[in-house]
């Protein structure tokens, strides 16, 4: 299957700082990328959908000014958690889909801990 | 109403036995896709199997098969000949409508395989 690389896999940051998470499609052009958040032992909750070159569409309850999503190219999307707080600690995972794909392929996920 | 329901928080099975993980879904779309993913403790989402709403035959992928009962809106995953490495969280997911929409996940089932 297609490869999606997410970086970093783990990050610890101080409260009030910002963290950027990258999601790259390595062998296909990702026209659409999805960002999910997962709390321990819970399901994946969709945060936002982004299409290359346009603004992301955020799910209800997700603060767009706090979770900045950029999808400037067909192989890269970034999620920036701004002014992170301990309650933002979670597992963040992206998935990417190309025009020819039935399924969306997932990155490895990023475990964010805010201290 | 939940779109994807997984009623088994945890399942236990012995090695070499078969196990069925339940999933029911709710949609008014005629075109949709059903997915199963495995999530080990590392967090990565491993795609297992896909069933399209118009597929007449049940999907199979190696030891995995999907028991698709459209009238009952169920899409149970059957794992034959369980292995210790199958111990993980399993998520059922649905994509409604066209292929560019995000996946909606169930709450997951934790499968434990013992020797």
């Amino acid at each position: 299957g297609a490869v999606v690389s997410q970086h970093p896999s783990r990050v610890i940051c101080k409260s009030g700082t910002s963290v950027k998470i990258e999601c790259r499609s390595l062998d296909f052009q990702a026209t659409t990328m999805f960002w999910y958040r997962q709390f321990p032992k819970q399901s994946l909750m969709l945060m936002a959908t982004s299409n290359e070159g346009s603004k992301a569409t955020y799910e209800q309850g997700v603060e767009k000014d706090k979770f900045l999503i950029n999808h400037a190219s067909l192989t890269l999307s970034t999620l920036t958690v701004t002014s992170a707080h301990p309650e933002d600690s979670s597992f963040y995972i992206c998935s990417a889909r190309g025009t020819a794909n039935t399924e969306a392929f997932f990155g490895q996920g990023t475990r964010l801990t805010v201290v | 109403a939940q779109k994807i329901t997984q009623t088994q928080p945890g399942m236990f099975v012995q090695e070499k036995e078969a196990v069925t993980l339940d999933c029911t879904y709710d949609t008014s779309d005629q075109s949709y896709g059903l997915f199963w993913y495995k999530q080990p403790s590392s967090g990565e989402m491993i795609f297992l199997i896909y069933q399209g709403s118009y597929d007449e035959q049940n999907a199979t992928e190696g030891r995995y098969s999907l028991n698709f009962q459209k009238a009952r809106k169920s899409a149970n995953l059957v794992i034959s000949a369980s292995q210790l490495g199958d111990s993980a969280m399993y998520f059922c997911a649905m994509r409604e409508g066209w292929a560019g929409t995000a996946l909606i996940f169930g709450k997951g089932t934790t499968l434990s395989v013992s020797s």
Side-chain angles (χ1 to χ4, degrees):
Chain A
V3 179
V4 175
S5 176
Q6 187 173 339
H7 179 80
S9 58
R10 289 179 182 273
V11 58
I12 301 172
C13 71
K14 288 186 177 180
S15 189
T17 62
S18 295
V19 174
K20 181 184 282 190
I21 302 169
E22 293 188 348
C23 181
R24 292 180 185 273
S25 56
L26 298 185
D27 53 0
F28 69 101
Q29 294 187 325
T31 50
T32 307
M33 285 195 175
F34 308 97
W35 286 94
Y36 293 86
R37 180 174 183 176
Q38 184 182 29
F39 289 108
K41 300 200 184 297
Q42 293 191 23
S43 187
L44 280 73
M45 301 301 295
L46 179 68
M47 298 175 68
T49 300
S50 73
N51 292 298
E52 185 267 337
S54 57
K55 286 185 179 180
T57 302
Y58 289 80
E59 294 299 299
Q60 194 172 12
V62 178
E63 299 175 58
K64 59 181 70 175
D65 293 332
K66 180 165 188 62
F67 299 100
L68 300 179
I69 291 171
N70 184 284
H71 190 172
S73 79
L74 283 171
T75 58
L76 175 64
S77 175
T78 59
L79 166 66
T80 302
V81 183
T82 62
S83 187
H85 288 101
E87 57 266 30
D88 298 324
S89 298
S90 189
F91 188 68
Y92 294 86
I93 191 163
C94 68
S95 72
R97 183 190 164 276
T99 53
N101 303 135
T102 301
E103 61 177 289
F105 299 93
F106 283 85
Q108 301 92 326
T110 298
R111 203 165 299 278
L112 170 64
T113 303
V114 185
V115 298
Chain B
Q2 285 189 37
K3 294 271 188 179
I4 295 286
T5 302
Q6 293 181 254
T7 57
Q8 307 154 315
M11 288 287 284
F12 296 87
V13 68
Q14 288 213 309
E15 254 186 312
K16 300 179 186 176
E17 290 184 352
V19 62
T20 298
L21 306 184
D22 294 341
C23 173
T24 57
Y25 60 92
D26 182 26
T27 182
S28 56
D29 284 358
Q30 296 300 309
S31 177
Y32 53 89
L34 297 159
F35 301 76
W36 277 92
Y37 285 87
K38 172 184 177 181
Q39 187 180 44
S41 56
S42 60
E44 61 182 313
M45 295 292 284
I46 302 170
F47 167 74
L48 297 178
I49 198 165
Y50 165 80
Q51 180 88 39
S53 58
Y54 294 116
D55 295 341
E56 293 186 351
Q57 298 214 340
N58 287 344
T60 59
E61 289 285 351
R63 293 186 299 112
Y64 305 107
S65 60
L66 198 152
N67 184 358
F68 181 44
Q69 297 189 37
K70 197 169 182 176
R72 297 177 63 182
K73 294 190 174 178
S74 75
N76 297 341
L77 176 71
V78 180
I79 305 175
S80 62
S82 298
Q83 302 171 356
L84 293 177
D86 293 335
S87 294
M89 182 83 119
Y90 288 79
F91 289 100
C92 178
M94 176 174 65
R95 186 193 62 231
E96 292 180 293
W98 74 289
T101 55
L103 297 182
I104 304 165
F105 286 86
K107 293 188 175 182
T109 296
T110 301
L111 176 65
S112 300
V113 182
S114 60
S115 56

